[in-house]
Amino acid sequence: MKVYPYRRLTGNVSWRVDSAQLKTEGEPWEDVESKYVSTVERVVALGPNDDRPDWTQARLRLSANLPAKAVDGGSPWQDVKVVAVLTERATNTRTAVELSPIATDGRELTGELYLHRCDLLDRATLAVHVVATVGGVRGRVIATTDAEWFVDVIETAPSLARELDVKLVGFESGASRLRRFKDSPWVVDTTGRIPAVRVNTDFDGLEGLMGGEGGNGAEKTVRELLLTQMCSEVWTAVFHSAVGDLEIEEDGTPLFPHGWQGEVLRAMLPDIHPDRDPEDALREIHAARTGTSATGWGELQPRIHFAASKRAGVPRTLSTTIRDLERLTQGDDA
Amino acid sequence: MTDRPSYLPEHLGLLPNAEAAEFLTEGLLAGREDTPSLKLNRVTEPLPYTDRRGELRPVRDLVEDAMAYCRAGGLKATQADAWLAPRLHAALRLTRREAADPGFWNYLALGVAPDYVVWRHLSDAKVAADRFRGQYHKQAFARLWWAAELFRDGSDYSPVVTACANQDIMNTALRMSVINHRPTAQAIVRLVAKGVITTGREVNALMGAVNASAATLMYDVIAPDVERESRPLLDWIAEAEHARQVSRQELPAGPDEEPTPELSVSALVDYFSDLFADAPVRGRDLDLGLEAVEETD
């Protein structure tokens, strides 16, 4: 737990993105349909589609509610402000906007945050902080809300989870770097903006199997299992890629990376070191990998494998598959 | 030594991370080999834009002039940073969205000027691979562009020159997200310009203190910036069609954006100075100790 040299605000500060509008050069502002703003997933999806081919500027309407004690006369906080901050690490973008009270009690606030398409690459984070003057010091952060939103400028569906980028390509005829994998059914590429899977269409029969919708029971079962296996490999690959490229502080503390690398680590670390908090777990993993820990890197592999297969749903799919196979064999016998 | 690529096409391209890997050979990293430029240009992807800022020649010329500038003046290769950063930024005219594509920087380093990367970053007979393909604060050209982008004050590149002349700012401050708040970046540069902080240890101590303090104090509130407008940047990019080559003598002018509010910068300069006075600087206490010993002698 962090210790602060001043009184912090406890209690619930709720906030949300109410709506979004987009502007194309030389056109008036246009509302974004509410289906692109998900309060459940806390994602605003502003990716291009037929409704909105190309926008240059977006405007988000935000609202927040403060607990009563934040604005009580007797509180230790003066000049209480609610500030929304949009950040994206890939573009080093940071935009802050102060919300304004809409009623006299000062507990309900709204504001508008403007963002420019040319400043954003793919997914920005939106967070809300409560700031006040405490003990004569201006600008103290007295609360930061747990709930972050994402503003996604690539996807068109407001979903927190990102779809894997899966492409079917012929390895023999494709880019030279794929040619050396021509006998492999698929490869995982973790060097891009998001992890990608390339499925080899030159691998006989694979395209039909993976791309097919229907098929008989056996085909379906195999496809499911193959997809799950692929996912598990992706999770293993992205984990190794993320942990192999950590930034290390001067005192040797590894930092959580930004982007998907950080998300992957935060998702998998609790399964690898269930009894540690994420920062601690990351330090331990880094120590194991660099050979400065009692636990060797080799000993960690089964845990990484377990975490990856759990993420990919291998145990669930496999048990379904086994059941399906039993049923299929019974059918054959009959 | 690694030489200029034998084949230079008319336009810049993108070399995705996955493709770049195969060109990072031991020989190149030791500065002994050239890059196979024909082969490399077969796996590049075209830029997402087709205007004149995508022309290769002006960038190649600029980089050659940066090396010539240092050789003629008897300067160290590190001193090229302060000269090249503002000029590269003004020559490329990119949006941040475009600059966030590592493929662009991979192409500059491997396809346009591997000789520059070797010349600038060879140390102990080796160039670190992340100078060719790496994060924005490591990669040879990305670090210059982002330093220029994050330390310029609207159209004024002079703070960039100050920031890039200090390798510790480049190595420590550039990767920290606190400087994404413009007044914070300007205040740090001003402390360097005023000579309040100069050595690596001082830069590290200041940046550590500024970063730690940002956890409880919101700089956006005590030192607000003006609202961001993209119009001046987009106009400046459109002007690339008619712009002359960037001047080798004068500092170029960046996008005509509103400068950082002076009140905000000076408020942070005062605040950071106080922070720095209280910050533990490695070696500072030791120096005091030595002086004390000398006095008693």
Side-chain angles (χ1 to χ4, degrees):
Chain A
M1 207 184 105
K2 282 185 187 139
V3 182
Y4 294 90
Y6 54 90
R7 273 278 294 286
R8 302 257 299 176
L9 176 65
T10 51
N12 194 27
V13 181
S14 62
W15 74 281
R16 55 169 289 175
V17 177
D18 290 322
S19 63
Q21 290 181 304
L22 297 177
K23 190 170 167 32
T24 310
E25 200 61 48
E27 303 280 333
W29 285 97
E30 273 190 44
D31 288 332
V32 171
E33 277 181 69
S34 58
K35 68 176 177 188
Y36 297 114
V37 181
S38 168
T39 33
V40 178
E41 302 264 314
R42 295 202 289 258
V43 176
V44 184
L46 300 177
N49 66 8
D50 296 341
D51 295 345
R52 37 160 208 259
D54 219 1
W55 53 274
T56 49
Q57 220 187 347
R59 175 161 79 184
L60 304 177
R61 293 230 160 90
L62 316 172
S63 61
N65 280 287
L66 287 173
K69 61 184 164 198
V71 288
D72 274 354
S75 81
W77 308 294
Q78 287 89 47
D79 196 18
V80 176
K81 295 173 196 287
V82 175
V83 182
V85 182
L86 178 103
T87 52
E88 188 190 33
R89 192 57 177 148
T91 47
N92 287 310
T93 290
R94 178 183 178 94
T95 308
V97 68
E98 200 182 311
L99 308 193
S100 327
I102 51 170
T104 42
D105 68 355
R107 289 182 53 198
E108 260 180 80
L109 305 99
T110 61
E112 284 182 341
L113 187 126
Y114 287 81
L115 44 110
H116 303 273
R117 185 63 187 89
C118 64
D119 286 340
L120 299 171
L121 178 70
D122 66 334
R123 194 176 244 203
T125 308
L126 187 55
V128 163
H129 309 271
V130 185
V131 180
T133 302
V134 195
V137 180
R138 276 174 65 222
R140 285 291 196 197
V141 181
I142 60 167
T144 295
T145 57
D146 297 331
E148 284 185 338
W149 278 63
F150 288 111
V151 180
D152 198 314
V153 295
I154 298 220
E155 300 294 331
T156 49
S159 157
L160 194 57
R162 306 177 112 181
E163 299 254 317
L164 260 183
D165 172 24
V166 181
K167 278 205 181 74
L168 302 169
V169 279
F171 286 11
E172 280 202 83
S173 44
S176 61
R177 74 186 136 97
L178 290 176
R179 235 165 280 153
R180 76 179 66 130
F181 304 115
K182 64 183 165 56
D183 294 326
S184 178
W186 66 73
V187 294
V188 182
D189 178 1
T190 59
T191 62
R193 187 178 57 82
I194 54 170
V197 179
R198 299 288 171 257
V199 178
N200 187 2
T201 54
D202 292 332
F203 197 99
D204 266 351
L206 186 62
E207 191 175 2
L209 185 65
M210 301 294 297
E213 282 291 316
N216 61 33
E219 268 175 28
K220 245 192 226 164
T221 306
V222 172
R223 179 164 63 232
E224 280 290 303
L225 195 60
L226 214 53
L227 274 172
T228 321
Q229 182 58 35
M230 204 182 272
C231 282
S232 168
E233 280 188 25
V234 171
W235 279 99
T236 310
V238 292
F239 180 84
H240 279 102
S241 159
V243 88
D245 198 22
L246 293 175
E247 283 255 4
I248 313 296
E249 285 281 24
E250 264 199 3
D251 62 359
T253 311
L255 297 174
F256 270 95
H258 301 273
W260 63 259
Q261 286 91 342
E263 287 170 38
V264 163
L265 291 176
R266 284 187 198 280
M268 288 174 73
L269 287 175
D271 284 327
I272 295 171
H273 281 303
D275 44 351
R276 293 171 190 265
D277 66 38
E279 278 74 22
D280 224 23
L282 186 65
R283 199 172 306 127
E284 183 58 33
I285 301 268
H286 179 66
R289 201 182 70 85
T290 50
T292 53
S293 143
T295 323
W297 186 228
E299 288 155 58
L300 264 173
Q301 296 308 310
R303 297 193 193 191
I304 296 171
H305 180 239
F306 162 70
S309 63
K310 190 175 158 193
R311 287 282 129 197
V314 173
R316 194 184 54 235
T317 315
L318 191 59
S319 64
T320 317
T321 307
I322 293 169
R323 236 178 303 125
D324 285 354
L325 281 176
E326 278 168 0
R327 211 170 298 138
L328 282 169
T329 14
Q330 280 162 11
D332 285 347
D333 290 346
Chain B
M1 281 291 266
T2 304
D3 210 343
R4 64 177 283 173
S6 53
Y7 169 65
L8 290 168
E10 203 175 322
H11 289 99
L12 301 169
L14 303 172
L15 184 67
N17 275 341
E19 301 284 1
E22 97 175 78
F23 300 101
L24 297 169
T25 59
E26 287 293 319
L28 176 69
L29 296 180
R32 281 186 276 108
E33 286 171 13
D34 296 342
T35 46
S37 49
L38 276 172
K39 188 178 167 197
L40 186 144
N41 279 286
R42 271 200 295 273
V43 295
T44 54
E45 292 167 8
L47 291 179
Y49 47 86
T50 53
D51 37 28
R52 287 192 56 196
R53 63 201 171 105
E55 288 176 2
L56 185 147
R57 188 64 193 277
V59 184
R60 175 70 216 177
D61 287 351
L62 188 61
V63 171
E64 276 180 21
D65 287 351
M67 292 189 279
Y69 163 80
C70 284
R71 285 183 186 125
L75 305 174
K76 285 188 289 189
T78 49
Q79 289 174 283
D81 291 355
W83 188 90
L84 186 54
R87 290 173 175 85
L88 183 74
H89 188 273
L92 294 173
R93 303 203 184 202
L94 302 172
T95 65
R96 290 185 178 205
R97 176 188 179 184
E98 289 159 350
D101 186 343
F104 183 82
W105 305 111
N106 293 340
Y107 186 78
L108 281 194
L110 289 158
V112 179
D115 48 336
Y116 167 84
V117 180
V118 169
W119 170 80
R120 169 65 185 82
H121 292 289
L122 191 75
S123 82
D124 297 331
K126 201 172 161 29
V127 180
D130 60 9
R131 299 302 187 178
F132 284 100
R133 181 189 78 156
Q135 287 175 293
Y136 77 92
H137 53 89
K138 294 274 191 188
Q139 206 271 357
F141 294 109
R143 65 194 276 281
L144 296 177
W145 190 90
W146 282 104
E149 176 67 10
L150 296 170
F151 286 112
R152 72 184 166 86
D153 189 10
S155 63
D156 180 10
Y157 282 116
S158 55
V160 179
V161 176
T162 310
C164 293
N166 186 313
Q167 288 300 309
D168 297 298
I169 290 286
M170 295 296 278
N171 295 335
T172 309
L174 190 55
R175 70 180 166 92
M176 291 186 167
S177 50
V178 277
I179 64 162
N180 297 352
H181 177 238
R182 223 163 49 130
T184 297
Q186 291 306 316
I188 288 164
V189 171
R190 203 169 287 182
L191 288 176
V192 174
K194 283 166 65 175
V196 177
I197 50 167
T198 45
T199 68
R201 283 171 175 177
E202 286 170 350
V203 171
N204 287 338
L206 173 77
M207 290 313 299
V210 167
N211 212 22
S213 162
T216 63
L217 205 68
M218 192 167 241
Y219 299 152
D220 310 74
V221 170
I222 58 172
D225 199 354
V226 293
E227 195 172 301
R228 169 126 174 100
E229 284 294 335
S230 56
R231 195 67 261 161
L233 173 74
L234 298 175
D235 287 345
W236 182 71
I237 288 172
E239 281 165 26
E241 287 303 294
H242 315 287
R244 283 177 297 155
Q245 292 249 337
V246 291
S247 165
R248 272 38 173 182
Q249 279 78 40
E250 308 293 319
L251 263 190
D256 192 17
E257 290 161 2
E258 190 110 348
T260 317
E262 176 52 33
L263 269 179
S264 292
V265 181
S266 52
L268 286 180
V269 165
D270 292 347
Y271 178 67
F272 293 164
S273 301
D274 289 348
L275 273 186
F276 179 65
D278 293 336
V281 180
R282 225 188 290 163
R284 181 154 72 177
D285 294 338
L286 193 70
D287 289 347
L288 286 175
L290 283 176
E291 275 166 23
V293 171
E294 278 164 12
E295 273 170 18
T296 52
D297 270 352

